[in-house]
Amino acid sequence: MAVSMRDLDPAFQGAGQKAGLEIWRIENFNPVPVPKSSYGKFFTGDSYVILKTTASKSGALRHDIHYWLGKDTSQDEAGAAAIKTVELDAALGGRAVQYREVQGHETEKFLSYFKPCIIPQEGGVASGFKHPEAEKHKTRLFVCRGKHVVHVKEVPFARASLNHDDIFVLDTESKIFQFNGSNSSIQERAKALEVVQYIKDTYHEGKCEVAAVEDGKLMADPETGEFWGFFGGFAPLPRKTASDDDKPTDSRPPKLLCFEKGQAEPVETDSLKRELLDTNKCYILDCGFEVFVWMGRNTSLDERKIASGVADELVSGTDQLKPQIIRVIEGFETVMFRSKFDSWPQITDVTVSEDGRGKVAALLKRQGVNVKGLLKADPVREEPQPHIDCTGHLQVWRVNGQEKILLQASDQSKFYSGDCFIFQYTYPGEDKEDCLIGTWIGKNSVEEERASANSLASKMVESMKFLASQARIYEGNEPIQFHSILQSFIVFKGGLSEGYKTYIAQKEIPDDTYNENGVALFRIQGSGPDNMQAIQVEPVASSLNSSYCYILHNGPAVFTWSGNSTSAENQELVERMLDLIKPNLQSKPQREGSESEQFWDFLGGKSEYPSQKILREPESDPHLFSCHFSKGNLKVTEVYNFSQDDLMTEDIFILDCHSEIFVWVGQQVDSKSRMQALTIGEKFLEHDFLLEKLSHVAPVYVVMEGSEPPFFTRFFKWDSAKSSMLGNSFQRKLTIVKSGGAPVLDKPKRRTPVSYGGRSSSVPDKSSQRSSRSMSVSPDRVRVRGRSPAFNALAANFENPNARNLSTPPPVIRKLYPKSVTPDSAILAPKSAAIAALSSSFEQPPSARETMIPKSIKVSPVMPKSNPEKNDKENSVSTRVESLTIQEDVKEDEIEDEEGLVIHPYERLKITSTDPVPNIDVTKREV
């Protein structure tokens, strides 16, 4: 595309050079920058151009351009916005995706820039309207639709606007009501609460009450009665009337039009193929609700402007929903556009794009504009970090048929390509112990043992009440977390399982299982002593690589070989791995180019070999999808500009990081779907929804809400208090909105590390992580995670220390009432405190994840005389529990903590209490 100086509007000079939003309003047919303080504020009589610049992890900048048209904007202004969008794309090098946004029918991507919502205001500059001045608060009614982003539309303040299918927000002077239609989903209700919070902060300075009204709720509720009072009293709602928003979208097959000589002519074809698109022309793909404009790389700016105008005219006279117009440039087509074609090549040559971008940069540079952002940045390669505590406790099993065999500590890092393995890693989390259970599947393992490994691992996760994260890892695709957990990792050829032995016998395949007395060649790789691997390869010269070090042995004869591109750190790893593969044997160092004849004889002679290092695929920008899996079919919806708040407890989400994916499962997901989480992840890899060539053997993690590992939460601005809340999505957000901010939970702090039997369980610095690893050789050492704090406190005081395995740390005594310290409680004997904790835990049913404990119940223990005889422990515990007396006198039990807050007994806070504490919100009574 030819670019001239007149094509570059002065307002766009320097745009798109750094990540973020930039907005221009069309005034007198020219773009005028909008101040950042007004971002998200739109007027119905105006047209806007919005540029979203995103910096990828590789350093390159990506651009999306939207032009937003208010419902009262003039046709001339709308046309000017469309043309200026094409010009802005030209200034950015002609690679941006362009979207037409019509008020009330915006794309989810556009709305995600302005979360939680946009509420356009009446007025406009170019349309001749005057912006409304600040005036007395006006009662307004809004309808809210959407699970991931919210479409907000103001509707007439009348009972006739209400219905059973949608959620409505009534904004009055002193209170904001959210009316939940009986047919609306919990997720939609939760998202609508974000709109309530936005209105509260924007129009009430955060100072007004919030009430939730359920459709069909009786008038006995004061807030419900107050809500209906604004509509003249309660009355049955009318049936929902069909509006433009509810009309079904046009699902006709795509129709391709070629733009020639100012006219759009149909292209006759039986199937859509990439070969139909000519780089010298523009095309229109009419898909009903979506209309795409495809612009060839060799088309002129004027041709693109005219094609865009024809597309606008094509949709302006339709009676359907306002169609979305998406303009794409050759070589930078969206996934949605490519998916409309029956065939699309996987690789498209887009080298011309860099040339065009360079020309634009050169022109701008002559004008004195900083063009740093327009030029492609060099990829930034960073050493990947494990984002997991590497001082935990590891157990490894080898799968043998339908069973698993626990490996000794000395064999936990030795894997075989023909076998499958299961590992369980327990490590210190933020406020509790976290656990990762995973399967490692060898390249040559048999299908039956692969299925058995996944099944056994899933049962282990289920036995832990789904509190552990689960991983499925294939040989050759191990993530950095796996290598950091094992620290030293060796992969031998062959296998030891019965399934592998049977398979090679049936197929009459020679058994090449590693033999320490035979010839073997290992490639050594890794980043340091706590992350090093030895991979057995074919013992031939072509397996060598100048960028690696190798270990070669033939019985007692041992050689180490260092490529010319290796460093001293690489050679140090060789010495460390020698201690594991061939300890106590002297090796013969070989340098590339000066090898001995015996070395080449062991490899069968010299031959050519590569010199390029095998690079780990760089980390991609993550994408979040909500998932619906039914009858073997997986449907996904992308969530743009995602945050932790988008993870709804009723749903399953997939975080696609390209090199690995995470399946996040909410607490409220049914057990059947929860058990299918790993299958959902595998289906996602098969479908490759983003057409990004996902590997079918990429690592898959299953992450449960409330037990998210740090290598998952690093993709969010994570607040662990939110994932620890109880209730569904709506109840949680209602609690946050009513409390005026994020939830504050009193979570017990993790115990101070204590050394048992000389082994430290503390978290050392990185230099000592490897030596501090605890490896189990007994299945009896599996930690029991399902016990409540009260039970642990009781067991710690009453169990027989002589009967306990001394290698296992004793249960932890946690402070059960950190906010309540009274003279009486401070001097309680340890055993009595433990009994009191157990007694208080009986007051409410335990949760699957944690047991909620009341802040304070004043306990007066009756200390029995100590009995030296221990032949009847159960009777002793029972006697002590029965001797407790709980004082519930109102004057005594209403005490204050160190912060001056009143603490009430739990019995009086329960909804079913016969003597409830007054003046407490019922929605917070048990929270």
Side-chain angles (χ1 to χ4, degrees):
M1 178 186 68
V3 180
S4 64
M5 299 300 295
R6 64 181 177 82
D7 296 326
L8 303 175
D9 194 295
F12 293 146
Q13 292 183 8
Q17 296 190 39
K18 60 182 180 180
L21 270 180
E22 294 171 84
I23 302 178
W24 297 264
R25 182 171 54 210
I26 302 299
E27 298 182 12
N28 297 321
F29 310 109
N30 292 311
V32 176
V34 173
K36 290 187 181 297
S37 59
S38 297
Y39 282 11
K41 183 184 293 185
F42 295 89
F43 291 92
T44 61
D46 288 334
S47 296
Y48 296 81
V49 176
I50 299 94
L51 170 63
K52 172 67 173 179
T53 304
T54 307
S56 65
K57 291 186 179 296
S58 65
L61 296 177
R62 298 198 310 268
H63 303 288
D64 290 290
I65 309 175
H66 307 254
Y67 61 103
W68 185 88
L69 310 177
K71 64 182 179 65
D72 299 320
T73 192
S74 68
Q75 197 66 34
D76 291 339
E77 276 190 347
I83 291 173
K84 290 302 177 182
T85 299
V86 177
E87 292 181 7
L88 177 57
D89 172 55
L92 295 171
R95 60 170 56 193
V97 180
Q98 306 161 42
Y99 302 83
R100 174 180 182 262
E101 309 285 353
V102 178
Q103 180 182 341
H105 305 279
E106 297 88 352
T107 61
E108 290 199 357
K109 173 174 276 192
F110 176 79
L111 290 176
S112 71
Y113 304 153
F114 307 101
K115 288 183 178 180
C117 65
I118 61 172
I119 302 179
Q121 301 180 32
E122 294 292 330
V125 174
S127 303
F129 289 94
K130 289 185 178 180
H131 293 172
E133 301 294 333
E135 55 185 18
K136 187 177 179 181
H137 187 276
K138 176 185 175 183
T139 300
R140 298 181 295 174
L141 183 66
F142 301 94
V143 61
C144 302
R145 297 187 178 100
K147 287 177 60 175
H148 307 301
V149 293
V150 188
H151 291 263
V152 180
K153 180 181 179 181
E154 185 172 356
V155 294
F157 174 34
R159 185 201 312 277
S161 298
L162 303 175
N163 61 65
H164 299 294
D165 300 315
D166 296 319
I167 293 129
F168 296 84
V169 175
L170 178 63
D171 177 23
T172 70
E173 187 173 3
S174 59
K175 184 178 287 189
I176 303 174
F177 297 87
Q178 176 171 318
F179 175 81
N180 299 321
S182 56
N183 297 331
S184 61
S185 68
I186 292 175
Q187 296 93 322
E188 289 176 311
R189 299 178 185 188
K191 274 296 173 185
L193 277 171
E194 296 180 6
V195 177
V196 171
Q197 183 68 55
Y198 172 79
I199 294 174
K200 178 180 177 182
D201 295 338
T202 306
Y203 300 104
H204 298 268
E205 299 180 348
K207 301 174 182 178
C208 74
E209 295 183 47
V210 172
V213 177
E214 298 298 325
D215 184 11
K217 198 168 185 180
L218 298 178
M219 293 280 291
D221 188 331
E223 291 180 337
T224 301
E226 186 179 356
F227 170 80
W228 286 111
F230 285 97
F231 296 92
F234 175 80
L237 293 181
R239 287 183 175 272
K240 183 178 180 180
T241 57
S243 64
D244 289 341
D245 299 327
D246 307 310
K247 291 179 182 178
T249 58
D250 193 348
S251 59
R252 64 176 181 267
K255 183 170 63 174
L256 185 64
L257 305 171
C258 177
F259 182 79
E260 284 188 291
K261 298 179 181 180
Q263 298 294 325
E265 300 294 337
V267 176
E268 300 297 332
T269 180
D270 294 330
S271 63
L272 288 176
K273 296 182 179 179
R274 169 65 180 84
E275 292 75 18
L276 294 172
L277 304 178
D278 185 349
T279 188
N280 298 303
K281 298 179 180 179
C282 294
Y283 293 82
I284 294 176
L285 184 64
D286 183 1
C287 301
F289 180 62
E290 295 169 319
V291 175
F292 294 90
V293 180
W294 185 89
M295 296 173 278
R297 296 299 308 177
N298 295 334
T299 56
S300 68
L301 183 60
D302 289 336
E303 287 176 317
R304 297 182 183 186
K305 288 181 179 179
I306 297 173
S308 299
V310 172
D312 285 341
E313 293 176 5
L314 181 67
V315 303
S316 60
T318 180
D319 293 330
Q320 295 288 331
L321 279 173
K322 298 291 185 183
Q324 297 172 354
I325 297 180
I326 303 172
R327 301 197 290 252
V328 296
I329 309 295
E330 179 184 1
F332 299 94
E333 297 86 354
T334 63
V335 173
M336 186 61 69
F337 178 80
R338 286 181 284 160
S339 67
K340 304 296 183 183
F341 287 73
D342 299 322
S343 63
W344 192 275
Q346 289 293 323
I347 301 175
T348 304
D349 185 9
V350 294
T351 54
V352 66
S353 66
E354 289 303 322
D355 180 56
R357 196 174 179 84
K359 289 180 181 178
V360 174
L363 289 171
L364 291 176
K365 191 173 183 179
R366 291 186 201 131
Q367 288 188 323
V369 178
N370 182 4
V371 296
K372 180 181 178 181
L374 286 179
L375 299 176
K376 185 177 180 181
D378 293 331
V380 178
R381 283 199 172 273
E382 298 179 353
E383 188 68 29
Q385 299 298 318
H387 298 281
I388 190 172
D389 191 299
C390 298
T391 63
H393 172 73
L394 176 68
Q395 290 178 293
V396 181
W397 295 264
R398 189 181 73 249
V399 176
N400 192 40
Q402 300 298 317
E403 301 176 341
K404 63 181 192 292
I405 300 172
L406 183 70
L407 302 184
Q408 297 181 359
S410 57
D411 295 329
Q412 286 184 347
S413 62
K414 299 176 181 178
F415 287 46
Y416 288 81
S417 279
D419 293 337
C420 295
F421 294 80
I422 298 174
F423 64 91
Q424 176 175 318
Y425 181 62
T426 306
Y427 58 98
E430 182 180 347
D431 54 13
K432 65 182 187 310
E433 278 193 331
D434 289 333
C435 184
L436 175 64
I437 295 174
T439 54
W440 182 90
I441 299 173
K443 287 181 178 178
N444 300 320
S445 58
V446 297
E447 193 61 40
E448 292 78 6
E449 290 189 337
R450 294 184 179 191
S452 177
N454 287 328
S455 176
L456 289 169
S458 296
K459 288 179 181 178
M460 292 171 66
V461 174
E462 185 179 5
S463 68
M464 299 178 68
K465 299 180 180 179
F466 297 98
L467 292 176
S469 299
Q470 185 175 355
R472 187 219 62 181
I473 299 169
Y474 279 93
E475 178 187 352
N477 288 269
E478 297 89 355
I480 183 65
Q481 293 86 3
F482 179 80
H483 284 152
S484 299
I485 289 171
L486 270 79
Q487 298 178 353
S488 58
F489 178 56
I490 306 173
V491 180
F492 296 111
K493 295 174 72 68
L496 304 177
S497 67
E498 294 178 2
Y500 177 77
K501 298 293 186 184
T502 302
Y503 175 78
I504 62 174
Q506 291 175 347
K507 298 292 183 179
E508 298 181 352
I509 300 174
D511 189 356
D512 61 350
T513 301
Y514 171 71
N515 181 359
E516 62 180 5
N517 297 318
V519 179
L521 179 66
F522 294 88
R523 183 179 70 245
I524 309 303
Q525 59 193 40
S527 60
D530 55 352
N531 175 14
M532 55 184 184
Q533 302 91 45
I535 312 299
Q536 187 178 0
V537 295
E538 288 294 327
V540 293
S542 59
S543 296
L544 298 175
N545 188 312
S546 301
S547 298
Y548 293 93
C549 296
Y550 289 79
I551 295 174
L552 172 66
H553 74 70
N554 187 354
V558 182
F559 292 90
T560 60
W561 185 85
S562 302
N564 288 333
S565 300
T566 59
S567 63
E569 289 79 8
N570 300 139
Q571 293 157 23
E572 181 187 349
L573 296 184
V574 172
E575 298 301 321
R576 291 180 177 273
M577 295 307 292
L578 267 177
D579 293 338
L580 299 175
I581 297 174
K582 279 291 183 180
N584 305 320
L585 286 178
Q586 187 67 30
S587 64
K588 301 175 183 178
Q590 306 285 304
R591 190 71 191 179
E592 183 179 7
S594 58
E595 300 87 352
S596 66
E597 289 298 325
Q598 186 183 18
F599 175 82
W600 292 119
D601 288 343
F602 284 173
L603 294 179
K606 293 183 180 181
S607 68
E608 292 186 358
Y609 52 82
S611 59
Q612 301 244 340
K613 190 171 185 178
I614 305 171
L615 295 176
R616 176 184 289 270
E617 189 173 3
E619 196 173 70
S620 293
D621 299 309
H623 297 263
L624 185 68
F625 298 85
S626 67
C627 302
H628 177 70
F629 187 65
S630 177
K631 298 180 180 179
N633 297 319
L634 178 63
K635 295 181 180 180
V636 301
T637 303
E638 184 168 4
V639 181
Y640 299 101
N641 296 296
F642 62 85
S643 67
Q644 182 185 356
D645 289 334
D646 292 310
L647 300 175
M648 297 288 188
T649 187
E650 297 80 15
D651 292 332
I652 294 176
F653 290 83
I654 288 181
L655 184 67
D656 175 13
C657 304
H658 188 71
S659 59
E660 59 189 4
I661 68 169
F662 297 84
V663 183
W664 184 89
V665 183
Q667 293 178 20
Q668 304 285 331
V669 171
D670 61 89
S671 58
K672 181 180 178 181
S673 298
R674 189 176 298 180
M675 295 294 292
Q676 294 175 326
L678 189 59
T679 302
I680 290 174
E682 292 172 340
K683 286 281 186 184
F684 183 87
L685 291 177
E686 291 175 14
H687 286 290
D688 192 11
F689 291 97
L690 290 180
L691 306 178
E692 54 181 342
K693 302 182 196 174
L694 280 178
S695 170
H696 289 193
V697 294
V700 177
Y701 295 95
V702 178
V703 175
M704 298 297 170
E705 183 183 11
S707 300
E708 293 90 349
F711 51 88
F712 171 81
T713 59
R714 70 188 182 95
F715 295 103
F716 303 81
K717 291 182 179 178
W718 196 259
D719 182 357
S720 57
K722 290 183 178 179
S723 62
S724 300
M725 296 182 71
L726 301 179
N728 60 40
S729 299
F730 173 71
Q731 292 167 339
R732 295 181 186 187
K733 290 202 173 180
L734 183 60
T735 301
I736 294 174
V737 170
K738 286 196 171 187
S739 63
V744 179
L745 301 181
D746 293 331
K747 296 187 293 184
K749 296 181 180 179
R750 195 169 69 241
R751 61 187 170 96
T752 303
V754 182
S755 179
Y756 298 100
R759 188 186 79 245
S760 173
S761 62
S762 62
V763 182
D765 53 27
K766 199 166 186 177
S767 61
S768 61
Q769 281 188 3
R770 189 169 186 270
S771 61
S772 65
R773 165 64 51 75
S774 167
M775 294 186 177
S776 172
V777 295
S778 170
D780 297 334
R781 295 206 56 226
V782 178
R783 189 180 182 91
V784 179
R785 295 170 59 89
R787 295 179 175 180
S788 69
F791 186 94
N792 283 338
L794 182 69
N797 287 278
F798 290 105
E799 70 175 343
N800 182 358
N802 298 324
R804 176 166 52 83
N805 184 353
L806 293 178
S807 65
T808 305
V812 184
I813 303 176
R814 294 178 184 266
K815 186 177 180 182
L816 299 176
Y817 311 115
K819 293 292 185 180
S820 176
V821 179
T822 63
D824 292 339
S825 62
I827 60 174
L828 288 178
K831 294 184 179 181
S832 300
I835 301 172
L838 178 66
S839 177
S840 64
S841 69
F842 294 154
E843 296 296 332
Q844 57 177 332
S847 167
R849 289 182 54 253
E850 60 179 303
T851 304
M852 298 296 293
I853 302 175
K855 279 199 172 182
S856 177
I857 296 179
K858 204 165 185 182
V859 176
S860 296
V862 179
M863 297 295 293
K865 294 181 180 180
S866 60
N867 186 0
E869 299 180 2
K870 300 181 180 180
N871 53 1
D872 194 359
K873 183 185 295 184
E874 293 184 6
N875 290 339
S876 174
V877 173
S878 175
T879 303
R880 298 179 187 201
V881 171
E882 290 175 358
S883 66
L884 296 177
T885 59
I886 301 179
Q887 302 176 358
E888 295 188 353
D889 183 60
V890 177
K891 295 181 180 179
E892 293 185 15
D893 58 22
E894 291 186 354
I895 60 177
E896 292 186 356
D897 63 6
E898 63 269 23
E899 298 177 0
L901 300 177
V902 178
I903 300 174
H904 304 282
Y906 178 67
E907 283 298 320
R908 297 190 62 204
L909 294 174
K910 293 171 65 175
I911 296 176
T912 57
S913 173
T914 56
D915 183 23
V917 178
N919 301 324
I920 289 186
D921 190 340
V922 69
T923 61
K924 302 178 184 177
R925 187 175 290 277
E926 290 194 84
V927 172

